């Protein structure tokens, strides 16, 4: 019962926060979007609309993140990626405007805004009301009724109970107990219904199969391109690093063979140099193998590999792992390098003092959250590190959600469908 009570109170407080913040944010963004779209005909809107739609996407992605965090409701984002050769300046902004307005996901976001500030507001406020409204009933029974009446007339209504004295105030407390009992059982479900409503609007219905095929086609192309780029990197590293050292070592050994009888001292010196070259080549090969698939990942799994990664960070890091097995090796590898990229972004751009990594497996999904206390303002942009993470996860039907308001904190949430063994 204690756990149920805590869940109900948390759901009520979260619902209240969503009702207040969600209503204000959705109304503001809806008004700004309508005004910006109206000014597209004048030309000015083509420059402002991409900025506004970026805010709308961040707002929707924040809701996706808290839906997964609070209630386990997955709301996938299906935005079309921008081309890598997008021009800069005014022309680039106009092109972004055209591409964003041509994306069906943009119009689903815009359709969700009025739903969120009406039905979404009601579904978020209901669990808060069920949890908080009983406080008023108990306060009336404790003597608050005297503020409203002297016992000779009805001075206040608590729901449908007319409060005119201590007896009716006790009835109000009894009704408050009923409300509280209902809240204990339904408040978390009502909060989940709020996110399911958002999911119903944000996830495509008609044409979902076509959208799914498009996403899979894009992710397959990204996977092929990434594999080709990785192969070129390995070939370049081998050619410029270990291979060059091994060739030089072979030449040294040939020279040693010629000098070993004529100049033993010189031959001994060159043997020492060849030994150093072999050690350097071995180190480079180990680094190359670690970049392909870290040994600690293969031997001890994702949790320990991320802990080892966190130990090398220049900021304080805390890693929490709740998994009852291991995912397939390709999934673990994708998750590891996605976390590695996210942590690299924290170090390079966030200006953070602390970072938290939470890894867990729930409802058939590997869920990873990377949170930092930095300056915020992170966004998924073409050519950026977060876009690379999104492409890497998309290969495995995974999703990425980013919540990063100005001033922080930033939370990057990654989910990959998988089973553990």
């Amino acid at each position: 019962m204690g756990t149920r009570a805590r869940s109900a109170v948390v759901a009520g407080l979260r619902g209240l926060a969503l009702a207040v913040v969600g209503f204000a944010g959705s109304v503001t963004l809806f008004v700004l979007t309508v005004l910006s779209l109206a000014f597209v005909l004048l030309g000015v809107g083509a420059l402002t609309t991409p900025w506004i739609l970026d805010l709308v996407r961040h707002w929707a992605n924040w809701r996706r993140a808290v839906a997964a965090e609070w209630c386990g409701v997955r709301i996938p984002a299906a935005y079309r990626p921008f081309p890598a050769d997008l021009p800069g300046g005014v022309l680039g902004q106009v092109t972004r405007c055209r591409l964003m307005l041509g994306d069906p996901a943009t119009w689903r976001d815009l359709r969700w805004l009025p739903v969120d500030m009406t039905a979404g507001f009601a579904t978020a406020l209901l669990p808060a009301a069920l949890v908080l409204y009983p406080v008023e009933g108990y306060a009336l029974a404790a003597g608050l009724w005297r503020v409203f009446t002297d016992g000779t007339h009805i001075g206040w209504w608590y729901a449908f109970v007319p409060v005119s004295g201590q007896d009716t105030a006790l009835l109000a407390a009894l009704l408050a107990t009923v409300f509280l009992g209902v809240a204990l059982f339904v408040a978390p479900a009502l909060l989940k219904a709020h996110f399911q409503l958002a999911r119903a609007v944000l996830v495509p219905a008609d044409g979902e199969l076509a959208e799914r095929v498009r996403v899979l086609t894009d992710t397959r192309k990204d996977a092929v391109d990434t594999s080709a780029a990785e192969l070129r990197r390995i070939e370049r590293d081998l050619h410029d690093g270990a291979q060059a050292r091994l060739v030089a070592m072979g030449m040294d050994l040939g020279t040693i063979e010629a000098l070993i009888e004529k100049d033993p001292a010189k031959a001994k010196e060159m043997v020492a140099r060849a030994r150093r070259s072999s050690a350097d080549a071995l180190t480079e090969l180990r680094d190359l193998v670690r970049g392909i698939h870290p040994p600690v990942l293969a031997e001890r799994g994702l949790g320990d590999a991320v802990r080892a990664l966190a130990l090398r960070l220049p900021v304080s890091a805390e890693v929490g792992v709740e998994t009852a097995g291991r995912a397939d090796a390709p999934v673990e590898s994708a998750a590891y390098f996605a976390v590695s990229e996210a942590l690299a972004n924290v170090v390079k751009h966030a200006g953070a003092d602390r970072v938290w990594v939470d890894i867990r497996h729930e409802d058939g999904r590997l869920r990873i959250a990377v949170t930092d206390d930095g300056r915020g303002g992170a966004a998924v942009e073409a050519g950026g590190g977060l876009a690379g993470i999104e492409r890497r996860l998309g290969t495995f039907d995974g999703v990425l959600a980013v919540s990063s308001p100005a001033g922080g904190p930033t939370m990057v949430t990654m989910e990959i469908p998988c089973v553990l063994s």
Side-chain angles (χ1 to χ4, degrees):
M1 184 58 69
T3 302
R4 190 181 294 275
R6 283 193 298 272
S7 298
V9 171
V10 169
L13 295 177
R14 287 174 171 173
L16 181 62
L18 281 174
V20 175
V21 177
F23 179 80
S26 293
V27 168
T28 302
L29 290 173
F30 182 74
V31 171
L32 290 175
T33 303
V34 170
L35 291 175
S36 186
L37 291 176
F39 281 107
V40 167
L41 297 176
L42 300 178
V44 180
L47 302 178
T48 60
T49 297
W51 297 103
I52 303 300
L53 294 181
D54 274 338
L55 291 176
V56 173
R57 289 188 177 188
H58 289 317
W59 182 244
N61 283 334
W62 174 77
R63 194 63 58 89
R64 291 182 175 98
V66 296
E69 172 75 18
W70 292 353
C71 293
V73 176
R74 178 176 174 264
I75 309 175
Y79 300 114
R80 292 178 179 176
F82 294 115
D85 57 349
L86 194 67
V90 175
L91 179 59
Q93 195 74 344
V94 173
T95 305
R96 277 171 53 86
C97 179
R98 177 178 59 80
L99 292 174
M100 295 179 84
L101 292 179
D103 189 347
T106 296
W107 297 101
R108 288 194 295 270
D109 286 352
L110 298 181
R111 187 171 67 243
W112 166 71
L113 290 177
V115 173
D116 186 56
M117 62 192 188
T118 52
F121 172 77
T123 53
L125 191 61
L126 194 53
L130 281 175
V131 171
L132 299 177
Y133 192 44
V135 176
E136 180 184 336
Y138 294 133
L140 288 170
L144 184 64
W145 64 271
R146 292 186 177 88
V147 176
F148 306 107
T149 179
D150 59 1
T152 61
H153 62 281
I154 298 173
W156 191 259
W157 285 81
Y158 180 75
F160 54 82
V161 175
V163 179
S164 58
Q166 186 63 49
D167 293 341
T168 50
L170 291 175
L171 286 177
L174 181 61
L175 181 59
T177 303
V178 173
F179 285 149
L180 190 58
V182 172
L184 290 177
F185 290 92
V186 305
L190 289 173
L191 183 65
K192 188 173 184 177
H194 168 85
F195 294 118
Q196 288 173 334
L197 172 65
R199 188 183 191 282
V201 180
L202 290 173
V203 173
D206 297 334
E208 184 173 1
L209 181 58
E211 182 71 12
R212 176 72 177 144
V213 171
R214 184 195 65 78
V215 171
L216 288 176
T217 301
D218 290 343
T219 55
R220 183 185 64 181
K221 180 179 179 297
D222 289 336
V224 171
D225 292 344
T226 301
S227 297
E230 188 69 10
L231 181 60
R232 288 193 298 270
R233 182 188 69 82
I234 294 171
E235 292 174 343
R236 184 178 63 251
D237 289 348
L238 284 173
H239 182 272
D240 297 340
Q243 178 177 310
R245 291 187 183 278
L246 290 173
V247 169
M249 188 170 65
M251 295 175 64
D252 286 344
L253 290 174
T255 305
I256 292 169
E257 187 178 10
L259 292 176
I260 196 166
E261 294 182 357
K262 298 179 180 179
D263 191 349
K266 182 66 175 179
K268 183 177 180 181
E269 179 183 339
M270 295 190 69
V271 166
R273 187 170 68 183
R275 185 172 60 249
R276 289 194 298 270
S277 294
S278 67
D280 291 340
L282 182 60
T283 300
E284 290 184 359
L285 287 173
R286 285 173 175 168
D287 291 340
L288 183 62
V289 170
R290 189 177 295 112
I292 299 171
H293 194 79
V296 66
L297 179 62
E299 296 169 4
R300 303 179 61 180
L302 180 62
D304 287 339
V306 172
R307 289 191 181 99
L309 190 65
L311 290 175
R312 298 196 296 267
L313 294 177
V315 299
S316 177
E318 185 176 322
V319 179
V321 181
E322 295 181 17
T323 56
R326 295 187 58 176
D328 293 339
V331 173
E332 282 194 335
S333 180
Y336 173 83
F337 286 108
V339 173
S340 177
E341 180 67 29
L343 293 176
N345 286 343
V346 171
V347 174
K348 291 179 186 176
H349 309 298
D353 296 319
R354 293 185 62 84
V355 60
W356 297 264
V357 182
D358 179 66
I359 303 173
R360 64 183 63 188
H361 187 268
E362 297 175 334
D363 301 324
R365 296 182 179 278
L366 180 65
R367 183 180 177 281
I368 305 172
V370 179
T371 308
D372 68 74
D373 61 355
R375 65 175 64 94
V380 181
E381 298 176 343
L386 292 176
I389 294 175
E390 191 172 46
R391 288 194 302 272
R392 185 184 294 275
L393 298 180
T395 306
F396 298 90
D397 201 20
V399 294
L400 173 75
V402 179
S403 172
S404 183
T410 295
M411 182 171 71
V412 176
T413 304
M414 298 166 268
E415 284 191 357
I416 305 177
C418 67
V419 294
L420 302 185
S421 59

